[in-house]
Amino acid sequence: MHIKELTKAEEQVMQILWQLKEAIVKDIIEEMPEPKPAYNTVSTVVRVLEGKGFIDHKAYGNSHVYFPIISDAEYKKFTFDKMMKNYFSDSYQSLVSFIVDEKKISVKELDELTSLIDKLKSKQ
């Protein structure tokens, strides 16, 4: 399966669909912050997401109930892998260095990371 990158608007709709599991366009709009976008705007985004293979629908008369077919975990992995490749040359050492330098990670958080790494090593 080839996952495509989402625009900000598409990602916002997907976040809502992942949360609701299934929804009509009106349900999606209700979950959006003010100022709410126009119905046609959200409807267009939904059709684009369906075209990209992220969602599908069930038809009930004139109503379409949309549901995700790519999970948030799959998209999270895709975006993380892309970030690792594009910004950290697939080096977890570079990623951790960035986090330590830029996010001013605490000693306690570093200890937690070390503990997590030890757990991962013991599983291999």
Side-chain angles (χ1 to χ4, degrees), residues 39-104:
Y39 182 94
N40 287 344
T41 302
V42 177
S43 181
T44 299
V45 171
V46 165
R47 283 196 303 277
V48 169
L49 285 167
E50 196 166 18
K52 285 184 173 183
F54 273 81
I55 64 175
D56 202 352
H57 73 271
K58 295 179 267 188
Y60 297 100
N62 291 341
S63 295
H64 286 151
V65 177
Y66 296 94
F67 56 92
I69 53 177
I70 290 183
S71 71
D72 57 339
E74 288 171 299
Y75 190 67
K76 203 179 292 180
K77 181 183 180 328
F78 163 77
T79 55
F80 182 77
D81 289 349
K82 185 172 189 242
M83 180 194 66
M84 283 297 298
K85 182 174 178 267
N86 291 347
Y87 296 101
F88 300 104
S89 305
D90 278 334
S91 163
Y92 288 96
Q93 184 176 349
S94 294
L95 173 67
V96 172
S97 292
F98 172 80
I99 292 169
V100 170
D101 293 344
E102 294 297 318
K103 300 302 176 191
K104 307 302 182 230

Side-chain angles (χ1 to χ4, degrees), residues 4-18:
K4 295 178 171 81
E5 193 164 6
L6 297 177
T7 66
K8 191 173 180 128
E10 292 165 353
E11 198 167 307
Q12 182 182 31
V13 169
M14 284 307 301
Q15 292 288 347
I16 292 167
L17 276 174
W18 285 322

